[in-house]
mmCIF file of all heavy atoms in Angstrom:
data_model
loop_
_atom_site.group_PDB
_atom_site.id
_atom_site.type_symbol
_atom_site.label_atom_id
_atom_site.label_comp_id
_atom_site.label_asym_id
_atom_site.label_seq_id
_atom_site.Cartn_x
_atom_site.Cartn_y
_atom_site.Cartn_z
ATOM 1 N N GLU A 1129 -18.238 -9.001 -15.137
ATOM 2 C CA GLU A 1129 -17.379 -9.836 -14.180
ATOM 3 C C GLU A 1129 -16.763 -11.098 -14.878
ATOM 4 O O GLU A 1129 -15.585 -11.460 -14.592
ATOM 5 C CB GLU A 1129 -18.295 -10.263 -13.036
ATOM 6 C CG GLU A 1129 -17.546 -10.988 -12.001
ATOM 7 C CD GLU A 1129 -18.567 -11.419 -10.869
ATOM 8 O OE1 GLU A 1129 -19.678 -11.551 -11.048
ATOM 9 O OE2 GLU A 1129 -17.955 -11.628 -9.665
ATOM 10 N N GLY A 1130 -17.494 -11.737 -15.688
ATOM 11 C CA GLY A 1130 -17.050 -12.984 -16.344
ATOM 12 C C GLY A 1130 -15.882 -12.730 -17.298
ATOM 13 O O GLY A 1130 -14.916 -13.448 -17.247
ATOM 14 N N ARG A 1131 -15.944 -11.651 -17.999
ATOM 15 C CA ARG A 1131 -14.872 -11.334 -18.990
ATOM 16 C C ARG A 1131 -13.791 -10.416 -18.321
ATOM 17 O O ARG A 1131 -12.797 -10.153 -18.961
ATOM 18 C CB ARG A 1131 -15.445 -10.621 -20.241
ATOM 19 C CG ARG A 1131 -16.329 -11.402 -21.067
ATOM 20 C CD ARG A 1131 -16.738 -10.615 -22.364
ATOM 21 N NE ARG A 1131 -17.338 -11.517 -23.259
ATOM 22 C CZ ARG A 1131 -18.635 -11.639 -23.420
ATOM 23 N NH1 ARG A 1131 -19.506 -10.955 -22.635
ATOM 24 N NH2 ARG A 1131 -19.142 -12.490 -24.303
ATOM 25 N N GLN A 1132 -14.077 -10.014 -17.127
ATOM 26 C CA GLN A 1132 -13.139 -9.037 -16.470
ATOM 27 C C GLN A 1132 -12.903 -7.820 -17.374
ATOM 28 O O GLN A 1132 -11.684 -7.539 -17.759
ATOM 29 C CB GLN A 1132 -11.827 -9.736 -16.004
ATOM 30 C CG GLN A 1132 -12.031 -10.621 -14.832
ATOM 31 C CD GLN A 1132 -12.402 -9.872 -13.613
ATOM 32 O OE1 GLN A 1132 -11.548 -9.148 -13.017
ATOM 33 N NE2 GLN A 1132 -13.561 -9.915 -13.048
ATOM 34 N N GLU A 1133 -14.031 -7.225 -17.836
ATOM 35 C CA GLU A 1133 -13.878 -6.155 -18.765
ATOM 36 C C GLU A 1133 -14.732 -4.962 -18.347
ATOM 37 O O GLU A 1133 -15.917 -5.181 -17.975
ATOM 38 C CB GLU A 1133 -14.310 -6.676 -20.208
ATOM 39 C CG GLU A 1133 -14.189 -5.607 -21.222
ATOM 40 C CD GLU A 1133 -14.651 -6.119 -22.603
ATOM 41 O OE1 GLU A 1133 -15.829 -6.499 -22.813
ATOM 42 O OE2 GLU A 1133 -13.737 -6.355 -23.470
ATOM 43 N N LEU A 1134 -14.147 -3.868 -18.450
ATOM 44 C CA LEU A 1134 -14.937 -2.570 -18.244
ATOM 45 C C LEU A 1134 -15.186 -1.954 -19.580
ATOM 46 O O LEU A 1134 -14.322 -1.898 -20.430
ATOM 47 C CB LEU A 1134 -14.053 -1.611 -17.457
ATOM 48 C CG LEU A 1134 -14.599 -0.217 -17.112
ATOM 49 C CD1 LEU A 1134 -15.945 -0.266 -16.343
ATOM 50 C CD2 LEU A 1134 -13.658 0.682 -16.393
ATOM 51 N N ARG A 1135 -16.392 -1.532 -19.784
ATOM 52 C CA ARG A 1135 -16.777 -0.926 -21.116
ATOM 53 C C ARG A 1135 -17.446 0.468 -20.751
ATOM 54 O O ARG A 1135 -18.184 0.571 -19.862
ATOM 55 C CB ARG A 1135 -17.778 -1.804 -21.836
ATOM 56 C CG ARG A 1135 -17.153 -3.102 -22.328
ATOM 57 C CD ARG A 1135 -18.163 -3.884 -23.116
ATOM 58 N NE ARG A 1135 -19.301 -4.496 -22.366
ATOM 59 C CZ ARG A 1135 -19.318 -5.646 -21.820
ATOM 60 N NH1 ARG A 1135 -18.242 -6.441 -21.950
ATOM 61 N NH2 ARG A 1135 -20.346 -6.070 -21.146
ATOM 62 N N HIS A 1136 -17.132 1.401 -21.715
ATOM 63 C CA HIS A 1136 -17.803 2.686 -21.640
ATOM 64 C C HIS A 1136 -18.524 2.927 -23.029
ATOM 65 O O HIS A 1136 -17.882 2.795 -24.077
ATOM 66 C CB HIS A 1136 -16.796 3.837 -21.469
ATOM 67 C CG HIS A 1136 -17.388 5.110 -21.345
ATOM 68 N ND1 HIS A 1136 -17.198 6.047 -22.389
ATOM 69 C CD2 HIS A 1136 -18.156 5.752 -20.506
ATOM 70 C CE1 HIS A 1136 -17.858 7.186 -22.112
ATOM 71 N NE2 HIS A 1136 -18.497 7.050 -20.976
ATOM 72 N N ASP A 1137 -19.799 3.033 -22.952
ATOM 73 C CA ASP A 1137 -20.581 3.116 -24.197
ATOM 74 C C ASP A 1137 -20.244 1.988 -25.159
ATOM 75 O O ASP A 1137 -20.021 2.114 -26.365
ATOM 76 C CB ASP A 1137 -20.341 4.381 -24.917
ATOM 77 C CG ASP A 1137 -21.002 5.623 -24.118
ATOM 78 O OD1 ASP A 1137 -21.974 5.396 -23.441
ATOM 79 O OD2 ASP A 1137 -20.477 6.755 -24.241
ATOM 80 N N ALA A 1138 -20.149 0.760 -24.531
ATOM 81 C CA ALA A 1138 -19.923 -0.492 -25.316
ATOM 82 C C ALA A 1138 -18.457 -0.659 -25.796
ATOM 83 O O ALA A 1138 -18.210 -1.611 -26.535
ATOM 84 C CB ALA A 1138 -20.983 -0.740 -26.396
ATOM 85 N N VAL A 1139 -17.537 0.249 -25.486
ATOM 86 C CA VAL A 1139 -16.204 0.130 -26.000
ATOM 87 C C VAL A 1139 -15.364 -0.219 -24.791
ATOM 88 O O VAL A 1139 -15.469 0.384 -23.708
ATOM 89 C CB VAL A 1139 -15.733 1.568 -26.576
ATOM 90 C CG1 VAL A 1139 -14.239 1.503 -26.923
ATOM 91 C CG2 VAL A 1139 -16.584 1.904 -27.780
ATOM 92 N N ALA A 1140 -14.438 -1.227 -24.903
ATOM 93 C CA ALA A 1140 -13.603 -1.633 -23.855
ATOM 94 C C ALA A 1140 -12.721 -0.539 -23.354
ATOM 95 O O ALA A 1140 -12.120 0.113 -24.108
ATOM 96 C CB ALA A 1140 -12.758 -2.796 -24.272
ATOM 97 N N VAL A 1141 -12.639 -0.481 -22.029
ATOM 98 C CA VAL A 1141 -11.656 0.628 -21.380
ATOM 99 C C VAL A 1141 -10.511 -0.100 -20.876
ATOM 100 O O VAL A 1141 -10.646 -1.051 -20.041
ATOM 101 C CB VAL A 1141 -12.449 1.348 -20.253
ATOM 102 C CG1 VAL A 1141 -11.501 2.302 -19.510
ATOM 103 C CG2 VAL A 1141 -13.740 2.037 -20.783
ATOM 104 N N PRO A 1142 -9.284 0.235 -21.277
ATOM 105 C CA PRO A 1142 -8.110 -0.528 -20.802
ATOM 106 C C PRO A 1142 -7.898 -0.198 -19.277
ATOM 107 O O PRO A 1142 -7.970 0.837 -18.842
ATOM 108 C CB PRO A 1142 -6.962 0.082 -21.561
ATOM 109 C CG PRO A 1142 -7.516 1.354 -22.218
ATOM 110 C CD PRO A 1142 -8.914 1.337 -22.191
ATOM 111 N N LEU A 1143 -7.747 -1.399 -18.527
ATOM 112 C CA LEU A 1143 -7.531 -1.342 -17.054
ATOM 113 C C LEU A 1143 -6.747 -2.514 -16.771
ATOM 114 O O LEU A 1143 -7.150 -3.633 -17.166
ATOM 115 C CB LEU A 1143 -8.868 -1.249 -16.352
ATOM 116 C CG LEU A 1143 -8.894 -0.824 -14.992
ATOM 117 C CD1 LEU A 1143 -8.317 0.500 -14.707
ATOM 118 C CD2 LEU A 1143 -10.353 -0.862 -14.319
ATOM 119 N N HIS A 1144 -5.695 -2.326 -16.002
ATOM 120 C CA HIS A 1144 -4.855 -3.518 -15.572
ATOM 121 C C HIS A 1144 -5.645 -4.478 -14.747
ATOM 122 O O HIS A 1144 -6.652 -4.074 -14.126
ATOM 123 C CB HIS A 1144 -3.592 -3.065 -14.942
ATOM 124 C CG HIS A 1144 -2.654 -2.388 -15.861
ATOM 125 N ND1 HIS A 1144 -1.855 -3.056 -16.812
ATOM 126 C CD2 HIS A 1144 -2.255 -1.028 -16.059
ATOM 127 C CE1 HIS A 1144 -1.139 -2.240 -17.491
ATOM 128 N NE2 HIS A 1144 -1.356 -1.020 -17.130
ATOM 129 N N ALA A 1145 -5.087 -5.643 -14.583
ATOM 130 C CA ALA A 1145 -5.797 -6.726 -13.805
ATOM 131 C C ALA A 1145 -6.063 -6.337 -12.386
ATOM 132 O O ALA A 1145 -7.115 -6.621 -11.754
ATOM 133 C CB ALA A 1145 -4.975 -8.043 -13.834
ATOM 134 N N THR A 1146 -5.047 -5.752 -11.666
ATOM 135 C CA THR A 1146 -5.317 -5.359 -10.238
ATOM 136 C C THR A 1146 -6.475 -4.366 -10.049
ATOM 137 O O THR A 1146 -7.324 -4.609 -9.260
ATOM 138 C CB THR A 1146 -4.028 -5.020 -9.577
ATOM 139 O OG1 THR A 1146 -3.078 -6.059 -9.690
ATOM 140 C CG2 THR A 1146 -4.203 -4.730 -8.104
ATOM 141 N N PRO A 1147 -6.396 -3.223 -10.729
ATOM 142 C CA PRO A 1147 -7.550 -2.347 -10.561
ATOM 143 C C PRO A 1147 -8.884 -2.978 -10.994
ATOM 144 O O PRO A 1147 -9.905 -2.705 -10.337
ATOM 145 C CB PRO A 1147 -7.119 -1.190 -11.562
ATOM 146 C CG PRO A 1147 -5.722 -1.248 -11.640
ATOM 147 C CD PRO A 1147 -5.303 -2.722 -11.525
ATOM 148 N N MET A 1148 -8.853 -3.844 -11.935
ATOM 149 C CA MET A 1148 -10.018 -4.542 -12.354
ATOM 150 C C MET A 1148 -10.604 -5.440 -11.198
ATOM 151 O O MET A 1148 -11.782 -5.486 -10.965
ATOM 152 C CB MET A 1148 -9.733 -5.441 -13.618
ATOM 153 C CG MET A 1148 -10.929 -5.869 -14.337
ATOM 154 S SD MET A 1148 -11.673 -4.621 -15.382
ATOM 155 C CE MET A 1148 -10.545 -4.544 -16.729
ATOM 156 N N ARG A 1149 -9.735 -6.135 -10.502
ATOM 157 C CA ARG A 1149 -10.114 -6.912 -9.342
ATOM 158 C C ARG A 1149 -10.644 -6.076 -8.235
ATOM 159 O O ARG A 1149 -11.677 -6.435 -7.567
ATOM 160 C CB ARG A 1149 -8.969 -7.827 -8.759
ATOM 161 C CG ARG A 1149 -8.601 -8.988 -9.716
ATOM 162 C CD ARG A 1149 -7.676 -10.022 -8.995
ATOM 163 N NE ARG A 1149 -6.492 -9.401 -8.327
ATOM 164 C CZ ARG A 1149 -5.367 -9.208 -8.908
ATOM 165 N NH1 ARG A 1149 -5.194 -9.475 -10.184
ATOM 166 N NH2 ARG A 1149 -4.305 -8.606 -8.251
ATOM 167 N N LEU A 1150 -10.070 -4.935 -8.036
ATOM 168 C CA LEU A 1150 -10.521 -4.017 -6.977
ATOM 169 C C LEU A 1150 -11.883 -3.464 -7.441
ATOM 170 O O LEU A 1150 -12.792 -3.433 -6.514
ATOM 171 C CB LEU A 1150 -9.477 -2.872 -6.899
ATOM 172 C CG LEU A 1150 -9.810 -1.773 -5.865
ATOM 173 C CD1 LEU A 1150 -10.102 -2.317 -4.447
ATOM 174 C CD2 LEU A 1150 -8.714 -0.651 -5.843
ATOM 175 N N LEU A 1151 -12.080 -3.063 -8.630
ATOM 176 C CA LEU A 1151 -13.367 -2.538 -9.060
ATOM 177 C C LEU A 1151 -14.437 -3.676 -8.864
ATOM 178 O O LEU A 1151 -15.496 -3.320 -8.317
ATOM 179 C CB LEU A 1151 -13.254 -2.156 -10.493
ATOM 180 C CG LEU A 1151 -14.631 -1.670 -11.213
ATOM 181 C CD1 LEU A 1151 -15.218 -0.488 -10.396
ATOM 182 C CD2 LEU A 1151 -14.419 -1.294 -12.582
ATOM 183 N N ALA A 1152 -14.117 -4.860 -9.306
ATOM 184 C CA ALA A 1152 -15.038 -5.995 -9.122
ATOM 185 C C ALA A 1152 -15.458 -6.174 -7.628
ATOM 186 O O ALA A 1152 -16.634 -6.258 -7.327
ATOM 187 C CB ALA A 1152 -14.514 -7.271 -9.632
ATOM 188 N N TYR A 1153 -14.462 -6.060 -6.795
ATOM 189 C CA TYR A 1153 -14.737 -6.258 -5.321
ATOM 190 C C TYR A 1153 -15.615 -5.122 -4.789
ATOM 191 O O TYR A 1153 -16.636 -5.304 -4.127
ATOM 192 C CB TYR A 1153 -13.505 -6.333 -4.490
ATOM 193 C CG TYR A 1153 -13.673 -6.813 -3.127
ATOM 194 C CD1 TYR A 1153 -13.614 -8.186 -2.823
ATOM 195 C CD2 TYR A 1153 -13.966 -5.906 -2.059
ATOM 196 C CE1 TYR A 1153 -13.927 -8.669 -1.614
ATOM 197 C CE2 TYR A 1153 -14.177 -6.330 -0.796
ATOM 198 C CZ TYR A 1153 -14.163 -7.699 -0.538
ATOM 199 O OH TYR A 1153 -14.469 -8.193 0.667
ATOM 200 N N LEU A 1154 -15.306 -3.931 -5.162
ATOM 201 C CA LEU A 1154 -16.164 -2.801 -4.739
ATOM 202 C C LEU A 1154 -17.538 -2.847 -5.253
ATOM 203 O O LEU A 1154 -18.471 -2.486 -4.540
ATOM 204 C CB LEU A 1154 -15.497 -1.527 -5.126
ATOM 205 C CG LEU A 1154 -14.185 -1.101 -4.310
ATOM 206 C CD1 LEU A 1154 -13.450 0.096 -4.953
ATOM 207 C CD2 LEU A 1154 -14.464 -0.825 -2.829
ATOM 208 N N LEU A 1155 -17.757 -3.278 -6.544
ATOM 209 C CA LEU A 1155 -19.038 -3.398 -7.070
ATOM 210 C C LEU A 1155 -19.876 -4.492 -6.385
ATOM 211 O O LEU A 1155 -21.079 -4.306 -6.056
ATOM 212 C CB LEU A 1155 -18.928 -3.645 -8.584
ATOM 213 C CG LEU A 1155 -18.644 -2.480 -9.472
ATOM 214 C CD1 LEU A 1155 -18.253 -2.945 -10.852
ATOM 215 C CD2 LEU A 1155 -19.852 -1.558 -9.580
ATOM 216 N N LYS A 1156 -19.243 -5.567 -6.122
ATOM 217 C CA LYS A 1156 -19.960 -6.664 -5.466
ATOM 218 C C LYS A 1156 -20.271 -6.391 -3.987
ATOM 219 O O LYS A 1156 -21.214 -6.991 -3.441
ATOM 220 C CB LYS A 1156 -19.047 -7.952 -5.528
ATOM 221 C CG LYS A 1156 -19.016 -8.542 -6.888
ATOM 222 C CD LYS A 1156 -18.486 -9.939 -6.946
ATOM 223 C CE LYS A 1156 -16.943 -9.803 -7.223
ATOM 224 N NZ LYS A 1156 -16.331 -11.127 -7.470
ATOM 225 N N HIS A 1157 -19.590 -5.435 -3.382
ATOM 226 C CA HIS A 1157 -19.706 -5.115 -1.953
ATOM 227 C C HIS A 1157 -20.289 -3.679 -1.831
ATOM 228 O O HIS A 1157 -19.991 -3.057 -0.814
ATOM 229 C CB HIS A 1157 -18.512 -5.392 -1.153
ATOM 230 C CG HIS A 1157 -18.117 -6.853 -1.207
ATOM 231 N ND1 HIS A 1157 -17.274 -7.329 -2.125
ATOM 232 C CD2 HIS A 1157 -18.584 -7.908 -0.433
ATOM 233 C CE1 HIS A 1157 -17.165 -8.647 -1.926
ATOM 234 N NE2 HIS A 1157 -17.941 -9.041 -0.840
ATOM 235 N N ARG A 1158 -20.939 -3.133 -2.800
ATOM 236 C CA ARG A 1158 -21.276 -1.717 -2.836
ATOM 237 C C ARG A 1158 -22.303 -1.347 -1.772
ATOM 238 O O ARG A 1158 -22.583 -0.206 -1.499
ATOM 239 C CB ARG A 1158 -21.818 -1.325 -4.189
ATOM 240 C CG ARG A 1158 -23.159 -2.073 -4.631
ATOM 241 C CD ARG A 1158 -23.488 -1.825 -6.047
ATOM 242 N NE ARG A 1158 -24.704 -2.538 -6.407
ATOM 243 C CZ ARG A 1158 -24.772 -3.851 -6.749
ATOM 244 N NH1 ARG A 1158 -23.617 -4.529 -6.814
ATOM 245 N NH2 ARG A 1158 -25.859 -4.387 -7.064
ATOM 246 N N ASP A 1159 -22.964 -2.318 -1.108
ATOM 247 C CA ASP A 1159 -23.803 -2.022 -0.040
ATOM 248 C C ASP A 1159 -23.223 -1.672 1.255
ATOM 249 O O ASP A 1159 -23.950 -1.333 2.234
ATOM 250 C CB ASP A 1159 -24.749 -3.310 0.125
ATOM 251 C CG ASP A 1159 -23.966 -4.560 0.621
ATOM 252 O OD1 ASP A 1159 -22.814 -4.666 0.080
ATOM 253 O OD2 ASP A 1159 -24.502 -5.346 1.310
ATOM 254 N N ARG A 1160 -21.935 -1.640 1.334
ATOM 255 C CA ARG A 1160 -21.235 -1.353 2.551
ATOM 256 C C ARG A 1160 -19.939 -0.664 2.330
ATOM 257 O O ARG A 1160 -19.332 -0.757 1.148
ATOM 258 C CB ARG A 1160 -21.052 -2.553 3.423
ATOM 259 C CG ARG A 1160 -20.156 -3.660 2.721
ATOM 260 C CD ARG A 1160 -19.986 -4.895 3.587
ATOM 261 N NE ARG A 1160 -19.257 -5.871 2.898
ATOM 262 C CZ ARG A 1160 -17.917 -6.030 3.059
ATOM 263 N NH1 ARG A 1160 -17.280 -5.282 3.973
ATOM 264 N NH2 ARG A 1160 -17.241 -7.046 2.429
#
């Protein structure tokens, strides 16, 4: 979340800023 970075097996996965924000939101609110 701090680096706004998605990694797969420790390798950064390219993802634009908007999908990254969406993924962050869904992860933080995964309980609902």
